[in-house]
Amino acid sequence: ALVAPNLSSELVPTSTRLLLQTKLGRQMLRPLLRSEIGEVALRRAWYDLSKLSRDVLELYKMPLKVEGWDRALYEVARLKKEVDPSEVSRMCSVVAGTPVLVLSGEHDRVVASQKS
């Protein structure tokens, strides 16, 4: 069971959350994320750029072509900014006794190992 893929303090960057709060911002964000800006963000998160081929980039862009993807991003952005420690405890109690494997990248630039 996946309890939470990211328990860091911010689910969606502040700038993105601000844009998503207005209709104009949402309209601006769609093409921005589909353009080079989205690609730059992906490249920044990739550890070994030599393995980030054009085909892999295209696979990462596929979800942005699904109808309603922007609405889903909006809903995630509406979630509270920080995960309450009591909520983490509750989530962990649900899977108590289940074998757990925590994976963390040593060079992860998106979620630091300490927050995994």
Side-chain angles (χ1 to χ4, degrees), residues 23-104:
K23 187 174 181 179
L24 177 61
R26 288 190 295 275
Q27 289 172 344
M28 291 171 43
L29 194 59
R30 282 184 210 117
L32 284 175
L33 290 176
R34 286 183 175 156
S35 71
E36 294 79 28
I37 290 175
E39 192 169 311
V40 167
L42 182 58
R43 286 182 185 280
R44 203 174 128 226
W46 207 265
Y47 175 67
D48 185 351
L49 289 175
S50 69
K51 295 181 180 176
L52 183 59
S53 67
R54 176 65 38 204
D55 290 339
V56 170
L57 271 171
E58 290 307 313
L59 288 172
Y60 272 93
K61 290 179 181 180
M62 285 181 71
L64 301 178
K65 297 174 183 173
V66 173
E67 185 178 339
W69 71 269
D70 52 330
R71 179 69 184 169
L73 179 62
Y74 171 70
E75 292 299 327
V76 169
R78 284 185 36 205
L79 295 174
K80 55 188 171 180
K81 184 176 177 183
E82 294 188 21
V83 177
D84 186 308
S86 65
E87 185 65 12
V88 173
S89 295
R90 188 193 65 74
M91 289 188 286
C92 289
S93 70
V94 170
V95 294
T98 304
V100 175
L101 174 63
V102 176
L103 299 175
S104 176

Side-chain angles (χ1 to χ4, degrees), residues 99-116:
V100 175
L101 174 63
V102 176
L103 299 175
S104 176
E106 181 180 350
H107 302 284
D108 193 328
R109 293 183 227 161
V110 178
V111 179
S113 296
Q114 313 78 285
K115 294 188 176 188
S116 295

Side-chain angles (χ1 to χ4, degrees), residues 3-35:
V3 175
N6 178 358
L7 296 178
S8 67
S9 63
E10 199 169 84
L11 296 172
V12 176
T14 303
S15 57
T16 303
R17 198 171 36 256
L18 288 172
L19 280 172
L20 287 168
Q21 289 178 3
T22 66
K23 187 174 181 179
L24 177 61
R26 288 190 295 275
Q27 289 172 344
M28 291 171 43
L29 194 59
R30 282 184 210 117
L32 284 175
L33 290 176
R34 286 183 175 156
S35 71

